[in-house]
Amino acid sequence: MRTIRVMAVAATFFACGGAQSGKSHTSSQSAEESPLELSIERSEAKGDATPAPVISVMAKELDRSMAVLSQKAKPTTYFIGYQVTERQSARVKASRGALVSSGEHRRRTLDLDLRVGSYRLDNTRPLRGRRPSFRSRWGAYTSLPLDDNESALRSAIWLATDNAYRSAYADFIEVKANTSVKVETDDTSADFSREEQTEYYESPQILSIDRTAWEPKIKSYSSMLKRYPRGNSSSVRLTADVVNRYLVNSEGTRIQVSRAYYRLWFYISTNAADGMVLTRNESMELASLDEFPSDAEVRAKIDQVVDDLMALNKAPVADPYVGPAIIEGEAAGVLFHEIFGHRVEGHRQKDVEEGQTFAKKVGEEVMAPFIDVYDDPTIRALRGTLLNGHYQVDDEGVRSSRADLVQAGKLRGFLLSRSPTRGFDRSNGHGRRQAGLKVVARQGNLVVHPRKTVPPAELTKQLLAEVKRQGLPYGLRFTKVRGGFTTTRRRSAQAFRVMPVMVYRVYPDGREELMRGSNLEGTPLTSLTKILAASDDVEVFNGYCGAESGRVPVSATSPSILMEQVEIAKAAKEQDRPSILQPPSSSFENAPGAEVIR
Amino acid sequence: MIGKRWCILVLVFLLAGWPFEVQADSEDDVVLRAMKDELPRAMRLKLRSVEAPYYVGYRVTDADTLSIEASLGSVIASDQDRSRWLNISLRVGDPSFDNTNFSERSYMSRVRPERLPVEDDYDALRWEIWLASDDAYKEAAEKLEKKRAALAGKRKSSDVADFSKETPKSILGDLPENALDRAEWKSRAKRISAVFANRPEIHESSVTISVVTTTQRFASTEGTLSRDRRTVARIDIVAKTKASDGMSIKHFASFSAAKASDLPPEIELLKVAKKVADELTEIRDAPIVEGYMGPILFEGRAAAQIVQSSLSGHLLGTPPPKSGRDSYSRMRGDTELGDKVGRRVLATDLRIADDPRIGTAAGLPLVGGFAFDAEGVPAQPVALIDGGKLVTLLMSRTPRKDLDKSNGHARGGNYSPIRAQIANLIVSAHRGQSKKQLEGTLLKEAAKEGYDYALVVALLDNPSVTGMDREDRMAMMMAARGGDALSPPPLVMYKIRKGGKRKLVRGGLLGSIRLRAWRDVIPGKNAAVHSFSVSTEDGPFGMMGGRGGDPASIVAPELLFPEVEVKAASSDGHSSHVIPSPLKAE
């Protein structure tokens, strides 16, 4: 049985995209106020394509259900939203030159949001004084026929609707009882926002991939990871996903959107001599398989991953440290995603079980006054790098829009789904989910945009000045991170942890030394106020974020930042020794006595 | 520095004494060669504080899966998948006391397989086997230390060993290619599922076809080098609806065969689907069964299903793992038959055997077979019950008191522990009563209890085929209250009256059938088969057909139990559909 008792919000980034492609120095700029140019590209889709047959089938069944449920059944249903997600996926994975798996899948699933009661009070209101149940997180989830057979589709939608009504009915009775016995909450906003009716149709895409042509290529890339000499696991994976979403709701909204994700992913992991697990991974986001990066570019990246792992294996273990640090763009993006992004998700401001770090701080200064932060899913690419968190319409049928979160260091707003929170009664198109789960407000493309920047060299200079001022032997530079997580519930500590991979000590003489085995930890409110400066080099971190509503694609863009103080703790170390035997090889087998026995 | 030279000596000894007789045939098999070549190296794994392994066994399983699901003439899923997995059995210590057969805190230790490349790439395979062996050795070393500490002072001279001694035997089976017309099976699934399309009274239906070809390879340091390929093809037809009072009811038919082409022909499957639909409609309109305590006749698939749910678990001899805490051992439960070898435990007319080597019994197709088991021991027929007396139990290489040899029935391994489990379990009667005699006896016995009718059960639910909703889970929990072995709810049940007249009834849950009840069972003559997925895991997962289960078949004749309780289904908790069906509306 799965428990979500703690409901820790875990945001796991699997890899970063565009560390190289997204990096761009504009070193001519001086340290004066100069809005950073991000060269933003937006989608050119007009939304005037032809609706697919499935839309009309969904609409028919919706009308039929509403006719019964909004009139004849008591309590009455005031809203039904159907979303059909059509996911076509292909995967090719290889390890050490051999194919590990290769396959394609296609699924069509139905997500259903059925609301009984009224916009003000409905069946979805969380029950106070109760732990969230399994059911409260999972929505109604049904597999649908892959073709457009009307009676088969309608039959499945009907059963799902009927079941959803019966559970909504039971939940609503509980909600009403719960509201009458518990004290008033201080946030008295409604349960569901009213939004405009929207019609928007993109052309659905079909995944077309010749796996047999890709297999040799992926195998050959995976052979390159063999260069790492010691015991290790490694793989290269190509993933292609086309997601067509069809959305119909009882407010008249009709949506048809399509998004394709192509990604090339490298991974290698080993145990250092003291047992510490070291991993390096990289990914490349592609707009399409036709725009595959050049062979040289891919090979350079793989070589880099292997070189990094070799360097890490030799690097000294980090000591606990409190002091100044430069967090480079990609790592800073993850940091902002964890310490800030998750805490400005709208529903967390309302849920009494949440820490509500920022709930009452709108208008107050929450970070350095030269920083703006916003989340804008309408951005397709930034400085030429595709952003993973791009979408036109969210999972509640609301057009995505830029959410201004921080302006000049002051908190301005939240990421909002159709769950209103005090002072914010409309969605800004950030309601997201993985198929099968319930929607909550999530990040899309988080952008940290400084109003004042310095060139990277100046940032290092400032770091060393700070090292000197604080009387420390060295400062730190974080360049690559593996991911991070944060806890936002009241029952747990309001803290975050980011797991860096590449961390350097920066000595006063300018020398930099790689180290391994450190975690960047802290509490959000303090950390955000410690930002001293930002540079003009911007990096994009592309990845996937996991939270209550599942795994969703996201990006985080940030310049490198200088922090007055960070805290690093030693990472938990696996006690396993490295492999006892040498790797299998013919030369070894002739000389068994040469083996080292530990 | 004690032992460097000594260790090298041991290595030289081990290498010299290597028990392989390399067979020309196995040399062509790249996978077997990689497994075999990595074995001597694994024997050299050694940490300072712990011994080197005394046994290493590699099992590599290739699974080629085709699955198609269709409903109302449309495909819902059509997947093809190919994967290769490695299971390592690495033993440190000695056969009398090693790292296995021990459970600390976890309910049952699970086996975690490693994924291997699907391609026959010798170097890549060896690399993965090497890394996995390294992990397995470190884990084994740690487990052995823990076991020594936990069982310190608890070991008795009467303790049974952890690993049985067996004579190694290699079996090199052919690897037949199984060509399958995927498009044809897809359209067949569509056509069969379309039978329900003009039946609006049936609310939910599906047809699932799966064809799984499994290639097993086994190599051990005892010198075993084996290979076998099997296919299980299966088709499930499921239909569900609601009665007028809101009670959910379901029905299914399921066929398994060793080849897709051996499944019933389409024309017959279309008839079966129609029959499922017709019967479900009849059941929907049938009255609810009243509470009952009296004789019940299980016939057809239900007879084999009742063997699965209330008897087969008692025939498994692998003892629960040793534990530092007695309460865990008790909780885990051992067969009640452990000390009854040679005694009468069932009705004298019953005979039970398990034979993984056969493909049919009484003309019925069996799918639980294999050439060698999960521990590389060759499959063998085992007589379990004769004249109602217990002959032996099904054994893996984990011995129990008085049963210190495997009889080739180890199964499991993919996320489930390796333990003895049934393969093809054949229940038969020495004499057996005819159908007419059985019905007569049934009514006579019922009359003694004051009933003017008796109950006949023809089909029990199989939740791994039909799925489980909230109502089903509640029903199972209710049935479990106060009982031991759980029986799935009856799906097809009749009231039979004098003259043999039958009338369908619906609802109702079977009370538990204890092992004792099997002493008074009266068997019939007409055998039926029930093929399903069996797991070596205890607890609810096992009962549900498990995760990562193995195919198994049970053949049984009708079984008349003199006293079984049927609890009337509660009329609460059901709810009818609020919205009428869209199929009906048009």
Side-chain angles (χ1 to χ4, degrees):
Chain A
M1 189 71 203
R2 177 164 185 176
T3 80
I4 50 159
R5 217 176 40 210
V6 185
M7 258 172 83
V9 180
T12 309
F13 285 80
F14 290 111
C16 65
Q20 262 121 33
S21 55
K23 197 166 193 166
S24 142
H25 296 264
T26 37
S27 46
S28 59
Q29 282 182 348
S30 67
E32 297 147 14
E33 300 231 348
S34 56
L36 202 56
E37 179 47 52
L38 295 177
S39 320
I40 282 167
E41 282 170 46
R42 291 200 156 79
S43 161
E44 282 157 19
K46 290 192 188 69
D48 56 0
T50 316
V54 68
I55 293 267
S56 71
V57 176
M58 290 162 76
K60 268 190 208 167
E61 208 40 40
L62 181 89
D63 292 344
R64 210 176 64 86
S65 301
M66 274 309 268
V68 177
L69 297 180
S70 68
Q71 278 146 38
K72 291 178 203 149
K74 289 264 175 252
T76 54
T77 300
Y78 75 93
F79 176 87
I80 297 179
Y82 292 139
Q83 175 167 290
V84 169
T85 305
E86 198 172 72
R87 176 180 282 272
Q88 307 157 71
S89 315
R91 303 267 179 283
V92 175
K93 186 179 173 188
S95 177
R96 303 187 68 82
L99 199 65
V100 173
S101 57
S102 172
E104 272 170 69
H105 286 269
R106 196 171 154 222
R107 284 285 186 285
R108 226 189 216 180
T109 54
L110 171 73
D111 281 289
L112 203 156
D113 187 9
L114 184 147
R115 290 168 181 261
V116 161
S118 64
Y119 284 88
R120 171 132 289 280
L121 178 73
D122 71 26
N123 55 298
T124 66
R125 180 168 291 196
L127 297 178
R128 280 179 291 147
R130 287 259 192 107
R131 283 175 172 167
S133 73
F134 186 61
R135 200 164 89 190
S136 71
R137 194 176 151 188
W138 286 89
Y141 178 91
T142 312
S143 289
L144 294 182
L146 296 173
D147 59 18
D148 293 329
N149 176 338
E150 181 169 337
S151 59
L153 279 169
R154 288 185 66 177
S155 177
I157 297 173
W158 159 61
L159 274 176
T161 312
D162 195 80
N163 281 332
Y165 173 73
R166 280 179 288 143
S167 21
Y169 171 92
D171 289 348
F172 188 57
I173 289 169
E174 278 207 71
V175 164
K176 285 226 292 212
N178 190 265
T179 6
S180 57
V181 297
K182 297 279 175 179
V183 291
E184 278 281 300
T185 45
D186 40 330
D187 187 341
T188 54
S189 30
D191 284 340
F192 201 46
S193 70
R194 289 174 192 273
E195 303 292 342
E196 277 146 31
Q197 179 255 346
T198 316
E199 274 190 72
Y200 179 89
Y201 305 104
E202 288 175 3
S203 298
Q205 299 172 73
I206 291 168
L207 175 65
S208 147
I209 175 172
D210 179 5
R211 277 184 293 121
T212 50
W214 283 98
E215 285 165 7
K217 196 160 187 166
I218 302 305
K219 279 161 65 175
S220 129
Y221 289 145
S222 77
S223 283
M224 289 183 67
L225 291 164
K226 289 206 249 181
R227 188 164 63 85
Y228 186 84
R230 301 181 55 85
N232 68 81
S233 306
S234 65
S235 59
V236 174
R237 198 164 63 186
L238 175 72
T239 64
D241 296 275
V242 168
V243 183
N244 297 326
R245 288 186 291 134
Y246 308 90
L247 212 136
V248 163
N249 74 25
S250 53
E251 294 164 337
T253 289
R254 304 285 184 267
I255 306 288
Q256 176 174 304
V257 280
S258 180
R259 174 95 159 81
Y261 302 86
Y262 301 96
R263 169 177 253 224
L264 185 63
W265 197 82
F266 325 109
Y267 164 86
I268 182 160
S269 158
T270 190
N271 283 76
D274 60 1
M276 185 181 287
V277 176
L278 304 172
T279 56
R280 269 300 275 126
N281 53 49
E282 281 285 336
S283 78
M284 301 171 101
E285 265 52 52
L286 322 169
S288 77
L289 292 172
D290 305 330
E291 291 170 49
F292 204 76
S294 75
D295 209 46
E297 201 182 321
V298 176
R299 289 180 184 272
K301 206 149 206 175
I302 298 176
D303 276 337
Q304 185 61 51
V305 163
V306 177
D307 289 344
D308 283 354
L309 197 70
M310 287 182 181
L312 278 171
N313 195 40
K314 279 189 237 138
V317 177
D319 293 316
Y321 169 93
V322 180
I326 290 173
I327 303 178
E328 291 196 350
E330 196 190 303
V334 177
L335 190 74
F336 274 96
H337 174 97
E338 298 300 345
I339 68 177
F340 181 70
H342 276 298
R343 283 164 204 279
V344 290
E345 290 163 342
H347 60 290
R348 296 196 205 292
Q349 318 313 319
K350 193 175 174 180
D351 187 341
V352 294
E353 299 291 319
E354 286 286 342
Q356 300 181 340
T357 317
F358 294 116
K360 293 181 183 169
K361 290 214 177 335
V362 178
E364 289 179 32
E365 191 160 296
V366 293
M367 60 182 80
F370 59 90
I371 290 181
D372 285 0
V373 183
Y374 59 86
D375 190 289
D376 190 352
T378 67
I379 306 176
R380 186 178 164 272
L382 188 149
R383 286 192 177 174
T385 301
L386 292 171
L387 301 192
N388 217 20
H390 165 57
Y391 58 89
Q392 295 289 86
V393 182
D394 77 0
D395 291 312
E396 291 178 314
V398 179
R399 290 294 292 265
S400 65
S401 66
R402 168 168 159 156
D404 283 308
L405 303 170
V406 173
Q407 282 173 339
K410 290 198 174 72
L411 186 69
R412 285 296 170 216
F414 299 109
L415 301 165
L416 297 161
S417 66
R418 290 190 68 174
S419 170
T421 182
R422 189 197 343 248
F424 298 89
D425 57 5
R426 293 287 296 272
S427 166
N428 51 28
H430 281 81
R432 305 184 71 193
R433 69 161 142 228
Q434 175 186 337
L437 292 160
K438 285 190 181 171
V439 167
V440 297
R442 300 288 292 271
Q443 296 168 69
N445 296 322
L446 189 73
V447 180
V448 178
H449 197 164
R451 295 182 168 210
K452 183 176 80 178
T453 59
V454 298
E458 172 63 22
L459 205 63
T460 309
K461 227 183 271 174
Q462 289 188 16
L463 169 73
L464 293 177
E466 197 56 34
V467 167
K468 197 171 164 195
R469 194 183 67 79
Q470 295 184 27
L472 293 165
Y474 56 84
L476 297 179
R477 178 194 300 279
F478 295 81
T479 65
K480 294 271 173 195
V481 293
R482 190 152 50 99
F485 62 87
T486 186
T487 50
T488 63
R489 306 290 285 182
R490 286 186 189 183
R491 287 170 208 263
S492 37
Q494 298 294 307
F496 69 87
R497 176 185 284 175
V498 169
M499 286 89 80
V501 177
M502 303 298 275
V503 185
Y504 299 85
R505 289 179 180 140
V506 185
Y507 291 97
D509 61 4
R511 190 166 46 93
E512 302 207 358
E513 181 191 29
L514 179 68
M515 49 181 211
R516 62 183 166 94
S518 59
N519 282 333
L520 181 57
E521 295 180 349
T523 48
L525 286 175
T526 330
S527 304
L528 287 168
T529 56
K530 305 262 182 202
I531 304 168
L532 297 177
S535 75
D536 53 20
D537 58 333
V538 169
E539 285 180 3
V540 173
F541 191 106
N542 274 317
Y544 289 83
C545 167
E548 300 97 309
S549 68
R551 188 170 176 266
V552 296
V554 294
S555 76
T557 301
S558 175
S560 298
I561 52 168
L562 171 63
M563 293 184 77
E564 184 185 354
Q565 194 184 70
V566 298
E567 187 171 340
I568 61 166
K570 280 190 184 242
K573 184 166 82 74
E574 298 285 324
Q575 294 309 310
D576 269 358
R577 296 152 185 274
S579 342
I580 298 170
L581 303 176
Q582 294 296 317
S585 78
S586 46
S587 61
F588 159 74
E589 256 148 60
N590 298 329
E595 211 157 290
V596 183
I597 293 166
R598 289 164 206 274
Chain B
M1 293 294 102
I2 337 163
K4 195 159 178 178
R5 183 173 299 171
W6 184 82
C7 285
I8 292 167
L9 274 174
V10 170
L11 291 178
V12 169
F13 170 76
L14 280 172
L15 285 171
W18 204 245
F20 281 120
E21 286 171 52
V22 178
Q23 302 173 33
D25 201 358
S26 68
E27 282 297 296
D28 303 337
D29 188 318
V30 172
V31 186
L32 265 185
R33 194 150 53 84
M35 293 161 72
K36 191 196 73 185
D37 290 350
E38 208 46 35
L39 278 173
R41 285 180 16 97
M43 288 297 268
R44 272 181 252 145
L45 286 162
K46 173 83 184 81
L47 288 168
R48 193 166 284 141
S49 54
V50 198
E51 307 94 294
Y54 75 88
Y55 170 91
V56 181
Y58 294 135
R59 180 161 65 124
V60 171
T61 307
D62 289 22
D64 259 289
T65 309
L66 168 79
S67 63
I68 299 158
E69 187 187 348
S71 181
L72 304 176
S74 286
V75 170
I76 286 178
S78 164
D79 297 321
Q80 215 163 0
D81 190 48
R82 201 175 140 212
S83 58
R84 179 174 280 166
W85 302 90
L86 167 70
N87 272 297
I88 300 184
S89 161
L90 186 147
R91 292 168 180 263
V92 181
D94 63 67
S96 71
F97 191 88
D98 67 22
N99 55 296
T100 70
N101 196 16
F102 172 66
S103 144
E104 313 151 70
R105 213 162 286 113
S106 59
Y107 190 60
M108 185 72 80
S109 63
R110 299 213 168 86
V111 180
R112 185 173 42 94
E114 295 284 338
R115 193 153 194 171
L116 294 184
V118 289
E119 280 185 316
D120 292 354
D121 180 317
Y122 176 80
D123 290 332
L125 287 167
R126 273 196 72 178
W127 184 275
E128 298 300 333
I129 297 171
W130 160 55
L131 287 179
S133 305
D134 194 87
D135 283 347
Y137 172 69
K138 287 165 184 163
E139 211 177 301
E142 196 183 331
K143 195 93 187 257
L144 181 63
E145 291 301 321
K146 279 189 186 159
K147 185 175 169 183
R148 279 178 177 149
L151 301 185
K154 294 194 173 198
R155 292 171 70 181
K156 292 174 257 149
S157 55
S158 60
D159 277 357
V160 287
D162 286 336
F163 199 41
S164 69
K165 195 168 163 43
E166 308 290 341
T167 316
K169 193 176 173 233
S170 297
I171 298 167
L172 272 178
D174 295 338
L175 302 179
E177 286 301 321
N178 276 311
L180 201 66
D181 187 345
R182 188 181 170 194
E184 168 53 25
W185 281 101
K186 213 160 129 177
S187 45
R188 199 172 294 184
K190 281 162 80 169
R191 289 192 294 267
I192 299 165
S193 74
V195 166
F196 298 95
N198 53 5
R199 303 292 293 255
E201 71 275 21
I202 291 169
H203 297 157
E204 221 177 325
S205 60
S206 69
V207 171
T208 311
I209 294 174
S210 72
V211 183
V212 183
T213 297
T214 310
T215 308
Q216 295 278 0
R217 288 181 175 89
F218 192 90
S220 81
T221 50
E222 289 174 334
T224 311
L225 213 54
S226 296
R227 186 177 69 188
D228 185 32
R229 178 172 286 175
R230 302 276 162 157
T231 295
V232 177
R234 172 175 168 147
I235 180 161
D236 294 328
I237 301 170
V238 177
K240 300 180 189 180
T241 193
K242 274 178 180 289
S244 58
D245 55 9
M247 183 190 282
S248 297
I249 47 172
K250 47 188 180 179
H251 195 358
F252 78 96
S254 172
F255 301 91
S256 298
K259 264 198 280 185
S261 53
D262 288 353
L263 287 172
E266 183 173 340
I267 186 145
E268 194 179 317
L269 291 169
L270 288 166
K271 275 188 209 151
V272 170
K274 191 177 170 299
K275 186 166 167 248
V276 166
D278 291 344
E279 279 185 2
L280 186 69
T281 315
E282 271 184 67
I283 297 166
R284 181 192 65 170
D285 300 330
I288 297 178
V289 67
E290 300 116 57
Y292 179 87
M293 173 72 102
I296 293 191
L297 176 66
F298 292 90
E299 63 177 22
R301 183 183 279 263
Q305 286 179 303
I306 212 75
V307 172
Q308 180 201 355
S309 65
S310 77
L311 179 63
S312 65
H314 289 291
L315 302 171
L316 314 177
T318 304
K322 295 169 185 171
S323 163
R325 306 179 196 186
D326 295 337
S327 56
Y328 284 119
S329 298
R330 271 204 304 278
M331 213 168 75
R332 229 167 275 118
D334 192 4
T335 169
E336 287 172 34
L337 299 180
D339 53 357
K340 304 247 175 3
V341 173
R343 306 266 167 77
R344 183 170 90 85
V345 291
L346 306 191
T348 49
D349 200 23
L350 282 176
R351 182 164 54 192
I352 302 182
D354 192 288
D355 193 349
R357 303 170 318 161
I358 54 176
T360 55
L364 301 163
L366 306 175
V367 295
F370 46 82
F372 51 89
D373 74 0
E375 295 175 318
V377 177
Q380 44 192 290
V382 179
L384 293 160
I385 302 281
D386 197 15
K389 281 191 188 149
L390 181 67
V391 182
T392 187
L393 296 167
L394 295 175
M395 293 301 294
S396 61
R397 289 189 72 174
T398 309
R400 66 183 300 129
K401 198 168 164 285
D402 304 328
L403 295 173
D404 60 355
K405 287 276 190 200
S406 167
N407 47 31
H409 275 81
R411 310 200 75 183
N414 280 349
Y415 298 103
S416 57
I418 290 177
R419 316 194 68 205
Q421 193 42 280
I422 64 165
N424 296 318
L425 192 73
I426 316 296
V427 179
S428 57
H430 287 276
R431 287 185 312 280
Q433 294 193 358
S434 71
K435 193 103 185 178
K436 207 163 171 206
Q437 281 175 309
L438 280 172
E439 287 181 357
T441 317
L442 179 71
L443 287 166
K444 208 169 74 198
E445 291 294 320
K448 280 191 209 158
E449 305 290 335
Y451 292 101
D452 61 351
Y453 66 91
L455 294 177
V456 177
V457 177
L459 182 69
L460 299 175
D461 195 8
N462 181 355
S464 66
V465 171
T466 62
M468 239 191 175
D469 59 24
R470 222 173 88 235
E471 247 171 80
D472 293 329
R473 270 190 288 274
M474 299 257 288
M476 290 291 257
M477 269 157 58
M478 273 176 56
R481 216 170 283 163
D484 46 0
L486 288 183
S487 298
L491 298 185
V492 179
M493 180 159 57
Y494 303 94
K495 261 185 181 180
I496 183 169
R497 286 174 203 274
K498 228 175 196 149
K501 212 167 162 262
R502 292 176 173 216
K503 266 201 144 150
L504 278 165
V505 285
R506 68 182 159 96
L509 293 166
L510 291 178
S512 63
I513 295 178
R514 287 165 195 274
L515 187 58
R516 248 211 69 84
W518 283 87
R519 293 172 66 94
D520 305 316
V521 160
I522 304 165
K525 289 174 187 288
N526 307 299
V529 67
H530 167 50
S531 291
F532 57 103
S533 177
V534 75
S535 166
T536 54
E537 269 184 300
D538 280 354
F541 284 118
M543 190 185 63
M544 295 273 301
R547 302 167 297 168
D550 297 307
S553 295
I554 295 179
V555 169
E558 299 97 334
L559 296 167
L560 196 171
F561 285 83
E563 191 180 82
V564 182
E565 187 184 0
V566 173
K567 295 171 193 171
S570 149
S571 52
D572 305 337
H574 306 303
S575 52
S576 307
H577 291 301
V578 182
I579 314 166
S581 161
L583 305 180
K584 224 173 260 179
E586 275 150 32

